[in-house]
Amino acid sequence: MTLLYIVLATLAGGLLSVAIAASLTVHLLGRVVKSLVSLSAGVLLATALLNMLPEAFESDAEAHALFATLLAGLLFFFLLEKVELYRHTHHHEGDGHHHHHHFDAEQAGRGGWSVLLGDSIHNFCDGIIIAAAFLTDVQLGVVTALAIIAHEIPQEVGDYIVLLNAGLSRRRALAYNALSGGAAVVGGVVGYFVVGPWKALFPYLLVVAASSFIYVAVADLLPQMQRRLPLRDTAAQVAWLVAGVSIVLLAMNGMHHSH
């Protein structure tokens, strides 16, 4: 039964992002993604700080070792992003082009295949995280999957626009996006069979997952929101951020009551 939960949870993010990308125009997608960035920042932070880390620290694992894992995780994701930045070519400011924030011509310069490969690896790791969370506790698995899906949708939709900018047709871009999303299912199944026997490692895996969520929210999503905006747009950002936190709290309470 747990394996079925893992497969369904890992499928959901990819299917939802492809469905959204297929149903909206590029202009509308750009507007939707901006709102989803704020929502997913709230979901990721709330899941990491209110769910994953408490779960890890309530285990028998030593607190110092868990904090050391958290620090190592944050540094690892920082270095990983450094490697990504060095590997890809970026546009220079003042190049005379108008760019969509976060998924513009800057990213198209990376080339569609580079984006797909990076996203597939990312999705595979997400699948392992979801598997570890479900194997720890079904409630934790549901909330973790929710957080990953919330982040996955704007990311996948952004990648879809990158693929269009890189010259792919809508159909091919959607097909490649679906394949990339499938890597999460593979990660979930691998995680179930490989991680399952190593229960003592679960608290550390949860802390690494939490460090990933915190890093993505603080280093990637929140900086996108830190721009001078009209009061109405700022209020909308804050509302979406609070909505993200509220979704996690409601999911946690709903699961507690159902136990």
Side-chain angles (χ1 to χ4, degrees), residues 65-150:
L66 291 174
F67 273 116
T69 304
L70 181 62
L71 175 61
L74 291 169
L75 291 174
F76 170 76
F77 291 111
F78 167 72
L79 292 172
L80 192 65
E81 193 169 58
K82 277 284 187 195
V83 171
E84 287 291 304
L85 289 172
Y86 280 124
R87 196 190 310 154
H88 301 307
T89 54
H90 288 266
H91 80 271
H92 298 285
E93 294 303 325
D95 62 359
H97 295 98
H98 295 288
H99 301 284
H100 278 296
H101 196 62
H102 187 63
F103 46 74
D104 54 5
E106 166 195 349
Q107 301 242 9
R110 299 179 175 189
W113 292 113
S114 173
V115 169
L116 277 172
L117 178 63
D119 203 30
S120 296
I121 294 167
H122 181 99
N123 289 341
F124 181 81
C125 295
D126 283 347
I128 291 174
I129 289 167
I130 288 172
F134 268 109
L135 287 165
T136 303
D137 178 63
V138 173
Q139 176 201 334
L140 183 66
V142 170
V143 178
T144 301
L146 186 76
I148 286 174
I149 290 165

Side-chain angles (χ1 to χ4, degrees), residues 17-59:
S17 58
V18 168
I20 290 170
S23 60
L24 300 176
T25 65
V26 172
H27 176 67
L28 271 173
L29 285 174
R31 292 173 63 182
V32 168
V33 168
K34 282 180 183 175
S35 300
L36 288 174
V37 162
S38 304
L39 179 78
S40 65
V43 170
L44 289 176
L45 286 173
T47 303
L49 298 172
L50 303 179
N51 204 277
M52 286 182 144
L53 289 177
E55 184 79 30
F57 279 89
E58 284 167 11
S59 70

